[in-house]
Amino acid sequence: MKNKNLIVTQLENYEKSYEETKDFERFKINIYQTIQDIESITPVNPVYSSYLFQIKLDYENLDRNSSPTLVSSLKTFLKRLE
């Protein structure tokens, strides 16, 4: 199981890699993996569950223009986890 700090670092690396390569499909795969990692460390809680559900919906509608917003949402969610 990954910890929160590792996931944050991983997310930042994915973001940087995407900026360098512009490989959107690879970025989507990495973001999906990050969402799964976040899900594995998230405690069962109605607030967290609804937020994760929204993140997953945002992922389903992900395009190049919305990717910075999703990354920001993921970072915010990780900061909220205690």
Side-chain angles (χ1 to χ4, degrees):
M1 176 186 280
K2 296 182 179 179
N3 69 29
K4 184 173 112 174
N5 293 333
L6 180 62
I7 294 172
V8 169
T9 302
Q10 186 178 15
L11 183 59
E12 289 170 351
N13 288 338
Y14 292 154
E15 188 177 22
K16 182 188 278 186
S17 174
Y18 173 63
E19 289 173 8
E20 293 171 359
T21 65
K22 302 297 182 201
D23 183 352
F24 186 68
E25 290 307 312
R26 184 72 190 148
F27 179 73
K28 276 188 78 169
I29 292 167
N30 290 338
I31 291 298
Y32 181 75
Q33 181 62 48
T34 301
I35 291 170
Q36 288 182 323
D37 291 342
I38 291 170
E39 204 168 17
S40 73
I41 66 165
T42 302
V44 177
N45 175 312
V47 174
Y48 290 150
S49 296
S50 64
Y51 200 79
L52 270 175
F53 181 74
Q54 183 60 51
I55 285 174
K56 289 178 183 179
L57 286 177
D58 291 346
Y59 173 80
E60 292 297 322
N61 297 308
L62 186 64
D63 61 19
R64 292 178 189 276
N65 295 328
S66 64
S67 61
T69 304
L70 180 58
V71 168
S72 176
S73 294
L74 290 169
K75 287 179 180 177
T76 301
F77 184 72
L78 284 166
K79 286 179 186 174
R80 289 181 181 175
L81 286 178
E82 292 299 328

